[in-house]
Amino acid sequence: MRGGASYPLVMDLDFSEDEIRRYSRHILLQDVGGIGQARLKAARVLVVGAGGLGSPLVLYLAAAGVGTIGLVDHDRLELSNLQRQIAHTTDRIGQPKAVSAAQTALAINPEVHIEPYDLRLDADNATDLIGRYDIVCDGTDNFATRFLVADACVLARRTLVSAAVLRFEGQLSVFKPYIEGPCYRCLYPEAPPEGVVPTCSEAGVLGAVTGVMGTLQATETLKEILGIGESLAGKLLIWDALATRFRTVRLRPDPNCALCSPAATIRDLSQHRHAVAACAG
Ligand SMILES: [Zn+2]
């Protein structure tokens, strides 16, 4: 695979007739084809957060035939989630979001394995959970979980596809410093003090903005699995929905980064051992 990522190479090319029909629009694509579809089937992706970003993300990954999708979220579905979190339905209010989103994804594609984790990602379980997957998608809405996921991904050498939304804006990047480009901490060395940067639950977000960003996140994840196109590693995509403007800025590795540089001081997740207040935007 391009970029030297260590994705599984044991691929099952034996698709059923239904699978060939289901994935026919992928198989028609020269850059995907049967081999690419087999790569998707062999891939294992962990989605952190079954909220505004995680909803379109898990639905498109499942529809695309990503063989194993983990989905971690400890929240219960609330009425105020339904304005943007389209993997859920009104009759499931009060249910675990990981279970609800898994149910919707499986209704779209029962050929894939969805592994819902109704738990809070923390310093004790992150290494094990992230280590079970090839690629991690962060769709959470708080810095404590973002930094935990970013640190765990670098320590476990896992590609991180990271998206964020607020009000009418979205950001997206791919972090795989062990192959190319910076890590999340090269960009943001420390979490801002609590209350400085508002979350969606404090400042609001246009529902469709999370849908666009979660769908872009799914697209970049599929590109990383397939090894096609230009990776977003080393670049940050910024979308201003009100101005209808996308721009991409180049990101450089920080030569003194505490996480990914030769002088790294972060060697485990012990600094995250206080409570992580996880919520999913
Ligand atoms: Zn770094």
Side-chain angles (χ1 to χ4, degrees):
M1 160 152 281
R2 221 187 51 172
S6 56
Y7 300 115
L9 291 171
V10 182
M11 294 188 296
D12 177 10
L13 284 166
D14 191 18
F15 288 106
S16 69
E17 273 186 39
D18 274 357
E19 283 178 298
I20 291 168
R21 258 203 300 277
R22 177 183 288 273
Y23 304 125
S24 61
R25 300 303 186 276
H26 275 170
I27 295 168
L28 281 170
L29 292 168
Q30 204 171 14
D31 285 344
V32 182
I35 299 282
Q37 195 60 49
R39 276 195 191 284
L40 295 176
K41 192 176 183 175
R44 299 176 58 83
V45 176
L46 180 67
V47 175
V48 184
L53 293 163
S55 285
L57 186 50
V58 73
L59 299 188
Y60 270 116
L61 294 180
V66 170
T68 307
I69 304 165
L71 183 56
V72 54
D73 197 310
H74 76 283
D75 270 343
R76 298 291 177 271
L77 185 65
E78 295 176 21
L79 183 58
S80 63
N81 298 147
L82 291 165
Q83 160 257 19
R84 64 202 177 283
Q85 302 184 9
I86 56 164
H88 311 292
T89 52
T90 305
D91 61 335
R92 297 190 201 145
I93 287 170
Q95 287 187 19
K97 279 163 61 165
V99 175
S100 164
Q103 191 182 334
T104 310
L106 280 174
I108 291 171
N109 190 356
E111 308 274 3
V112 300
H113 305 286
I114 312 276
E115 301 174 339
Y117 302 95
D118 175 21
L119 53 81
R120 189 191 290 266
L121 198 71
D122 62 25
D124 293 321
N125 59 29
T127 303
D128 175 51
L129 205 52
I130 282 170
R132 291 185 218 165
Y133 296 88
D134 307 314
I135 295 186
V136 178
C137 300
D138 184 358
T140 57
D141 186 28
N142 69 92
F143 284 104
T145 309
R146 278 191 180 276
F147 278 85
L148 170 66
V149 171
D151 289 358
C153 283
V154 170
L155 295 171
R157 298 170 65 88
R158 293 295 188 270
T159 298
L160 171 61
V161 184
S162 183
V165 289
L166 192 64
R167 299 188 183 105
F168 302 97
E169 263 199 34
Q171 296 190 356
L172 177 68
S173 191
V174 172
F175 301 104
K176 45 179 178 180
Y178 52 93
I179 297 172
E180 57 173 326
C183 77
Y184 186 77
R185 278 194 190 260
C186 291
L187 192 57
Y188 305 108
E190 295 286 340
E194 214 166 308
V196 170
V197 179
T199 63
C200 291
S201 59
E202 292 156 358
V205 63
L206 192 73
V209 169
T210 63
V212 170
M213 293 313 297
T215 304
L216 283 171
Q217 197 176 9
T219 308
E220 292 305 315
T221 304
L222 297 174
K223 281 169 58 185
E224 290 293 330
I225 297 167
L226 294 165
I228 59 173
E230 272 180 52
S231 173
L232 204 54
K235 285 171 268 183
L236 178 70
L237 177 77
I238 301 165
W239 178 45
D240 177 344
L242 290 182
T244 322
R245 192 166 49 219
F246 283 94
R247 44 197 188 100
T248 307
V249 297
R250 188 155 285 284
L251 304 176
R252 295 190 190 289
D254 173 359
N256 300 311
C257 176
L259 181 60
C260 75
S261 76
T265 53
I266 300 169
R267 302 192 185 282
D268 56 37
L269 300 178
S270 53
Q271 67 165 272
H272 299 278
R273 221 161 279 282
H274 53 271
V276 171
C279 76

